[in-house]
Amino acid sequence: MTFDPKALSQTWPLPSNPRPIVTFGAGSIVGDAHFPAYRKAGLPVAGLYDPDLEKAKALAEKWGVTAYASADEAAAVDGAIFDLATPPAAHCAVLEKLPEGAGVLIQKPMGADLAAATEILDICRERNLKAVVNFQLRFAPMMLALKDAIAKGWLGEVVDVDAWLALDTPWSLWAFLKGLPRIEMTMHSIHYLDLIRQLLGDPQGVHAKSIGHPSHDMAQTRTSAILDYGDRVRCALSINHDHRFGRKHQACEFRISGTEGAAYLQLGVNLNYPEGEPDILEIYPKGGDGWVNVPLEGKWFPDAFVGRMANLQRFVAGEDQELVSSVEDGWLTMALVEAAYQSSGAPATPIAGRP
């Protein structure tokens, strides 16, 4: 059987009868990713609410949608799917206002820590919300294609996952991060930890160290982590958001190796953010004799947001049986992040002194 890169699935099917979307929050992620994705896919946006009404009105005018005067007004839109593009501390208050049984997309992270994630999970259970966490990297065209390639056996058994990032990330774009005690793993690498959970399942444990940088006062911007999957699988992440020495040796890539094939991925959005660069997926398939480029039909931003919302809408309509990244599953990703921070705060194994 010959490997055909164009046969790999890269998109999620759209809902037959899309419901109106109501967004809470008017931050940059809404205008840069959420609304462009929904418009591209033909998913209708009814409007948005933000406590900063002038900011909400400006974004609503740009996109031709309604700016609601209050959270209650936004939550009252009939038959809506609710899109929470809100900071972690705001999630619970919004969820409490939504109609019983509503479909809702919750911006990652699922709270600031595991205790907050548990509170969110409890609210969603009590209100019977069909709720998912916005771990949209799972829906990026390159990741859907990768998962399809793995499912079809082109890599054999996955035994090695390596993430390497050396970036110059403009943290100043997200003012709400300043002063937070947890940043890098909670706000950024959580995407990679969540994706790895989908590919490999839950690890037995994690070794991690996450630190800041002398040039700024952000809590953490550099992380090293090893996920323990026993003696058969190696999984490591090396993340540095402070590599400010020009583009030449910067990187944002995954190397995933199986017993019979391998994959290389570049996550282009993080390079020269927010302009970004192309995503790349190359596969060395089982039985092949070289690397094959997979022509991608889109990129992480904004196309992954299409698949994320499409799955939620299709589940609410009964068209999808699986709710990908449900709050139940998202809680497990938060548990992994919590364990990583506990590891980071624990002493390292001491080295014996000279005898």
Side-chain angles (χ1 to χ4, degrees), residues 11-259:
T11 59
W12 200 272
L14 295 174
S16 299
N17 296 292
R19 297 187 178 213
I21 299 167
V22 172
T23 297
F24 285 81
S28 62
I29 193 67
V30 178
D32 292 343
H34 290 238
F35 284 2
Y38 303 155
R39 176 168 291 180
K40 180 176 181 179
L43 300 173
V45 176
L48 74 151
Y49 168 75
D50 192 284
D52 186 337
L53 295 180
E54 293 306 311
K55 185 177 181 181
K57 288 177 181 178
L59 187 61
E61 182 178 355
K62 179 179 179 181
W63 288 91
V65 301
T66 300
Y68 300 110
S70 68
D72 289 333
E73 183 183 358
V77 176
D78 187 47
I81 298 291
F82 298 98
D83 181 17
L84 273 60
T86 45
H91 292 343
C92 287
V94 177
L95 291 170
E96 292 280 14
K97 290 181 177 294
L98 301 183
E100 295 273 348
V104 54
L105 171 60
I106 304 170
Q107 176 67 311
K108 63 82 189 164
M110 189 179 163
D113 52 28
L114 191 60
T118 302
E119 184 179 3
I120 288 170
L121 179 61
D122 288 343
I123 293 172
C124 292
R125 285 173 169 172
E126 290 166 5
R127 302 184 63 78
N128 195 31
L129 299 175
K130 300 175 180 66
V132 297
V133 185
N134 200 0
F135 292 129
Q136 80 293 128
L137 181 57
R138 295 189 181 200
F139 293 89
M142 59 182 164
M143 295 306 178
L144 291 175
L146 170 67
K147 285 177 276 189
D148 195 24
I150 293 172
K152 290 175 177 175
W154 290 113
L155 273 63
E157 177 191 355
V158 176
V159 294
D160 204 280
V161 175
D162 204 11
W164 180 43
L165 282 72
L167 306 167
D168 182 10
T169 299
W171 293 101
S172 60
L173 292 178
W174 305 283
F176 73 92
L177 295 177
K178 193 173 180 64
L180 293 182
R182 294 182 173 186
I183 294 181
E184 203 290 313
M185 290 189 291
T186 299
M187 305 302 296
H188 186 90
S189 289
I190 191 170
H191 280 300
Y192 315 135
L193 296 171
D194 180 73
L195 178 76
I196 290 167
R197 282 191 56 247
Q198 188 184 41
L199 295 176
L200 299 177
D202 290 308
Q204 299 171 17
V206 58
H207 309 274
K209 187 69 177 180
S210 194
I211 60 176
H213 192 275
S215 67
H216 56 70
D217 58 0
M218 287 289 178
Q220 310 96 26
T221 52
R222 296 176 291 164
T223 297
S224 296
I226 298 172
L227 276 59
D228 185 355
Y229 284 96
D231 296 333
R232 195 167 179 86
V233 178
R234 185 190 75 97
C235 180
L237 300 89
S238 177
I239 317 288
N240 177 10
H241 291 275
D242 296 287
H243 196 274
R244 301 170 179 166
F245 308 103
R247 173 65 184 86
K248 183 177 180 181
H249 293 300
Q250 291 179 354
C252 186
E253 55 195 31
F254 271 67
R255 289 175 174 82
I256 298 174
S257 301
T259 53

Side-chain angles (χ1 to χ4, degrees), residues 264-342:
Y264 168 87
L265 302 97
Q266 173 178 287
L267 286 62
V269 69
N270 291 325
L271 296 164
N272 191 33
Y273 188 90
E275 288 80 10
E277 296 183 8
D279 289 338
I280 296 173
L281 172 59
E282 297 180 358
I283 292 179
Y284 195 113
K286 173 183 176 180
D289 58 2
W291 289 93
V292 179
N293 179 64
V294 178
L296 296 174
E297 300 169 7
K299 52 187 180 179
W300 182 2
F301 281 48
D303 296 276
F305 293 77
V306 174
R308 171 61 285 168
M309 177 57 72
N311 169 243
L312 173 57
Q313 292 226 8
R314 285 174 57 86
F315 182 84
V316 170
E319 294 180 293
D320 276 0
Q321 299 304 306
E322 178 189 8
L323 190 58
V324 179
S325 296
S326 69
V327 286
E328 305 282 347
D329 186 68
W331 188 93
L332 293 173
T333 293
M334 290 296 295
L336 173 54
V337 171
E338 186 73 24
Y341 273 110
Q342 290 180 12

